[in-house]
Amino acid sequence: MTKTVFIASAEPYSGKSVLALGLVNLLLGQAQRVGYFKPIIAGDQPQDPHIATVLSYFKLPLAYEDTFAYTRPEALRLLEADAQGELIDTVIHKYKQLEEQYDFTVVEGSDFVGPGAAFEFDANVSIAKNLGVPVIMVVSGEGKTTAQVVSTVLTVLRSFEAREVQVLAAVANRVRPEQVDDVRELLRTQLPEEVLLAIIPEDVNLLHPTMREIHEGLGGRLLLGEAELGNQVDNYVIGAMQLPNFLNYLKENVLIVTPGDRGDIIIGALQANLSASYPRVAGIVLTAGSEPEEPVRRLIEGLQTVVPILAVPTGTFETSTRVGAIKSRISPDNPQKIQLAIQTFERYVDVRALQERMVSYQPEGITPHMFQYRLLQWAKRKRQHIVLPEGNDDRILRAAALLLHQDIVDLTILGNPQEVAASAKRLGLNLPVGEHLQVLDPVNSDYYPSYVQAFYELRRSKGVNEDMARDMMRDVSYFGSMMVHQGHADGMVSGAVHTTQHTIRPALQFIKTKPGVSVVSSVFFMCLPDRVAVFGDCAVNPNPTAEQLAEIAISSAESSQAFGIEPRIAMLSYSSGTSGAGADVEKVRQATELVRQLRPDLKVDGPIQYDAAVDPIVGRQKLPDSEVAGQASVLIFPDLNTGNNTYKAVQRETGALAIGPVLQGLNKPVNDLSRGCTVDDVYNTVVITAIQSQQG
């Protein structure tokens, strides 16, 4: 079951607060702790009215500052600086803090009001995608024809589906009552069956503003009637004609806009409000900066009931235009409207069906931002000690400083301490030797004699003598691997200046493989724009046999599961299904069958082409009955040539972040870097290694 629902719209004044209030009220009847989060708020008021309403009415024990990540101006500045990644990372961090504390969290999208509204829909889709949560989408029917309402719902739904964001329900709100049946019939025949549909008719009691909102919208000065600011305004009329004619234009809950020197209109309106023969007057706005003369004002003050009377500096025409543009919001000081919103939700939304969809929701895939956030949190669960043998490389030192600053791991850097200190000073890095960092010169370290003896004992049956052991332990890859073997470090990351074979060879000699594993292989975690895929093996085995390929697939699936990615294994080839023949295809076909025999619990298909593995449309065409085609998360390449070139092509052409190679199959984690690695590559690989070492 999902622990979160994202309420999103694609336009302003959609009435999504009705959904937010109704959903929070529903969940509070089933969960003890319900959180509320709004990633981006307008920021033009001391407190966001949506947040204030939810927190105060339901008395949620949430600090206001914890309920949002950015104001709209802050978000715009980040987007203009091409820093959307930072925005998403911060939203994920704040959301996760809430998610950990609450049984269920309601996330409400932005309001599309004010400058920068053009970016908001895409931002909302990206946030929902990166949080990995389902959406209830809301579309306003106000001022739209039936065809326009239907078209808008379908367009917004397709936008979410195109980004692989699951929509639980589509809500058409504020639909004119006479359109409701037609809108429902047309949408129900075009929406997917799994998407719940709700049509909420327009309700003037929710749609129209109160006199308090008129006052806030116009500004000006409140002369009288503060106690009646809760009056609802359903109509407005300009008082510019003679009183007898003017009285004919009064309607229920009318707002009267008139110059302040029209004492006859003011007194007539107030008397009409007291009369059983005329509709109720909601309030009066006096324009052009003029106010009633003293005798008129004294008369008004003596009346038993006085509606709110405001005085504004703007002219009558401008004031009436501004009144017509004021939209109502459900505010904390209007409990009647809040209760009406909740009742509206319960009346028009199939609550039971919505609950069933929330229970059955299964997230599909994981985004790069969420993946990296999750890795960081996992790495911090239990602090691990990682050795970095290549202390002579600036990238290693920069990554080490970042890891220590973020308090993620303990580190040992191998190299001459004086040279490492000089490099750190040159780079402007803070690398203080102490509790969390040691810098060791292998030959001069206290470990050296015992490591030499240990290596000699382990390898003398292979012809290694003590002199050879002393020489080997001078090599940083051997020394670092021995640290891991002896338990003086939990894992090792190397390869920035050494070859893959130089990094792996010592591990194979004395760390060795896990029981039941005969092949050490590798995976890359490919952080694509909207998902994370696992590529294996792209770094170690040049031309694996069918048996080795099956073992690589199983190890890759286990790595996928260990890092929170549901494995759906595609055994790649140049043909799909039974369409191809030849030794290469047959090897993949045989490997696929071996995986099914050895691990019947895993979802696997092959041989399958790359496009059929990852593209849902192509996958349905080529392998319509496959549970992997079109949604593969683990892609196993038939040989190193194919795998290495493909991962590099995908990385360069899409801008994907490739984390790895991550070695799998060893008793303790040793991971290899590319010699073209970046500081981020080193950082991410150390984090991965720390998590691997936690898992034993």
Side-chain angles (χ1 to χ4, degrees), residues 147 150 173 231 239 304 326 337 345 365 474 481 521 626 675 691:
V150 172
N173 191 23
N231 288 356
Q304 189 175 9
I326 292 172
K337 190 171 279 190
F345 173 87
R474 292 173 180 269
S481 298
S521 58
S626 172
R675 277 167 287 175
I691 296 169

Side-chain angles (χ1 to χ4, degrees), residues 378-393:
W378 283 352
K380 290 180 176 180
R381 286 182 305 194
K382 182 182 177 184
R383 196 182 189 102
Q384 300 293 291
H385 184 166
I386 307 300
V387 58
L388 303 173
E390 299 161 320
N392 59 337
D393 189 280

Side-chain angles (χ1 to χ4, degrees), residues 340-358:
L340 177 60
I342 293 170
Q343 292 165 6
T344 300
F345 173 87
E346 293 173 344
R347 181 177 179 184
Y348 294 106
V349 176
D350 188 337
V351 172
R352 180 172 295 180
L354 180 60
Q355 289 174 314
E356 289 174 357
R357 281 160 174 76
M358 289 191 291

Side-chain angles (χ1 to χ4, degrees), residues 673-688:
L673 296 164
S674 163
R675 277 167 287 175
C677 66
T678 65
V679 173
D680 284 343
D681 293 334
V682 180
Y683 173 93
N684 287 320
T685 305
V686 171
V687 170
I688 290 273

Side-chain angles (χ1 to χ4, degrees), residues 100-113:
E100 291 167 4
Q101 300 175 49
Y102 293 92
D103 302 319
F104 203 101
T105 304
V106 175
V107 181
E108 184 179 343
S110 53
D111 298 329
F112 297 85
V113 180

